Amino acid sequence: MAFSTLSTYSSNTYIPKTSSPINRRHTIRCSSSPISTQFDIKTYWTALIKEIDQKLNDAVPLQHPKPIHESMRYSLLADGAKRAPTVMCVSAFELFGGNRVAAMPTACALEMVHAASLVHNELPCMDDAPSRRDQPSNHSKFGVNVAILTGDSLFTLGFRHIVAQTPTDIIPHDRLVRVITEIARTFGSTGMAAGRFLDLEFEPNTANFVREKKFGEMGQCSAACGGLLAGASDDEIQRLRKYGKSVGVLYQIVDDVLEAKTDGERKKEGKSYVSVHGVERAMEVAEGLRSQAKKELDGLEKYGDNILPLHSFVDYAVDRGSIDW
């Protein structure tokens, strides 16, 4: 179901006409000016995700104690994982002309810590989710004790993977320190954990803060890490932060709208943005987030076609079924 059927855009905004943009060539508009460049989303994403999946598979071999590593692989390599954080990190790094090989360790680390947060979030004391990423939740399959240890192990593995695998002849140590600090802040008590806590104690007046922390932080971190690795300027990194945050929240709000449209009257209660503010307001916010993300990318147009993968995130956000941030 395409989000373009839920909202009206200006004549300068590209609106895809099918509900499956990932399966065709997709024209990306980089600004209010027309652009003829064709960007093949499917080829870019499919090839990159294949590389990422192989790197993740290699990063977590089966070893003693076997149950923990089986559990780690189960959540990290889930078929339902969309790899959005990793793709965004690599796309941001390649924006500045870097070879993706140098960004892969950080991109994989983002997926590791993201998977860890999902394992912990789905625990009975949190969301008590029976499934995640199109498969039974980790604790449902391996038990609560192993799930907790799995999350802990994936968190620490992420940071170790950055340090051990990043080629320091390409990426200076000071950049790695900034990347590690960025990830630690994102998942800490002032980042996603803050959103998680307030979500547990949910109050309608905290809906905006919760969505920014739970969903915007991951996108912000992913884009910023790519820029930090590439040695981007402070202004460029700030643009990437704002872009990533907008896209992260945009994806979730679109998911909420799509779910509300699908469920109809059944979607009356809950913690989603739609349940608090309604579909119309959510659509207005989504339009604003899309415009904000595009605005930030307009300031990076000097990098030419390297910007197209980042634009694909924005357009795909409003023309897809679902993506799991």
Side-chain angles (χ1 to χ4, degrees):
M1 182 178 185
F3 187 65
S4 56
T5 64
L6 304 179
S7 183
T8 301
Y9 298 100
S10 70
S11 60
N12 287 330
T13 305
Y14 171 71
I15 305 176
K17 292 182 173 59
T18 77
S19 58
S20 303
I22 204 72
N23 294 320
R24 61 178 173 79
R25 295 186 71 84
H26 182 133
T27 303
I28 304 298
R29 176 150 301 181
C30 290
S31 69
S32 57
S33 301
I35 183 168
S36 60
T37 302
Q38 296 289 317
F39 178 68
D40 190 339
I41 296 178
K42 180 182 178 181
T43 298
Y44 182 84
W45 280 56
T46 301
L48 181 49
I49 289 173
K50 184 177 181 180
E51 289 184 52
I52 292 167
D53 285 345
Q54 184 59 57
K55 295 290 186 182
L56 291 173
N57 180 71
D58 295 342
V60 188
L62 275 179
Q63 54 186 312
H64 182 76
K66 189 174 179 180
I68 292 179
H69 291 92
E70 285 181 335
S71 176
M72 292 169 68
R73 290 177 59 84
Y74 177 80
S75 292
L76 186 62
L77 304 177
D79 289 339
K82 307 301 190 299
R83 309 299 186 215
T86 50
V87 173
M88 183 176 286
C89 175
V90 172
S91 297
F93 181 72
E94 291 183 327
L95 169 66
F96 303 99
N99 186 321
R100 68 175 55 169
V101 172
M104 277 293 182
T106 294
C108 289
L110 285 169
E111 190 61 41
M112 292 171 186
V113 295
H114 180 45
S117 72
L118 295 179
V119 171
H120 284 172
N121 285 348
E122 66 200 23
L123 288 168
C125 62
M126 303 290 277
D127 286 346
D128 195 17
S131 63
R132 179 78 70 178
R133 289 178 160 179
D134 302 331
Q135 64 183 21
S137 56
N138 189 287
H139 71 271
S140 297
K141 184 173 178 65
F142 296 95
V144 172
N145 292 345
V146 173
I148 292 173
L149 294 174
T150 294
D152 292 345
S153 298
L154 284 170
F155 268 123
T156 55
L157 176 61
F159 293 110
R160 179 160 64 91
H161 193 73
I162 293 173
V163 175
Q165 299 299 321
T166 302
T168 52
D169 58 327
I170 301 175
I171 308 295
H173 282 96
D174 64 313
R175 295 184 191 175
L176 293 185
V177 171
R178 294 185 69 185
V179 164
I180 290 172
T181 300
E182 181 74 21
I183 296 174
R185 184 207 61 77
T186 295
F187 287 85
S189 60
T190 61
M192 292 175 67
R196 177 78 272 185
F197 170 75
L198 290 175
D199 194 37
L200 291 173
E201 306 290 330
F202 187 76
E203 295 290 341
N205 62 356
T206 65
N208 289 348
F209 183 83
V210 168
R211 67 184 173 86
E212 288 183 4
K213 290 297 179 180
K214 284 185 64 179
F215 308 112
E217 288 280 350
M218 187 75 248
Q220 174 177 293
C221 178
S222 302
C225 282
L228 290 169
L229 286 171
S233 68
D234 290 344
D235 177 69
E236 290 168 335
I237 291 172
Q238 280 303 105
R239 285 189 176 278
L240 288 173
R241 287 186 194 281
K242 293 176 182 178
Y243 158 83
K245 186 174 185 177
S246 296
V247 173
V249 178
L250 172 61
Y251 270 69
Q252 186 58 38
I253 289 182
V254 172
D255 278 348
D256 288 347
V257 171
L258 292 173
E259 185 177 355
K261 289 286 186 177
T262 300
D263 291 350
E265 291 301 312
R266 289 178 294 167
K267 187 72 174 179
K268 289 184 177 180
E269 299 180 357
K271 301 177 181 180
S272 74
Y273 192 84
V274 170
S275 67
V276 175
H277 298 287
V279 171
E280 288 190 12
R281 176 55 183 161
M283 289 160 56
E284 292 174 359
V285 172
E287 171 67 10
L289 290 167
R290 176 178 176 143
S291 297
Q292 179 64 42
K294 290 281 189 178
K295 177 183 177 182
E296 298 305 330
L297 293 183
D298 285 347
L300 298 169
E301 281 191 323
K302 66 181 181 180
Y303 294 104
D305 287 354
N306 287 355
I307 199 74
L308 295 178
L310 292 177
H311 271 284
S312 75
F313 270 93
V314 185
D315 291 310
Y316 183 51
V318 294
D319 187 37
R320 88 231 185 278
S322 177
I323 196 162
D324 189 11
W325 273 94

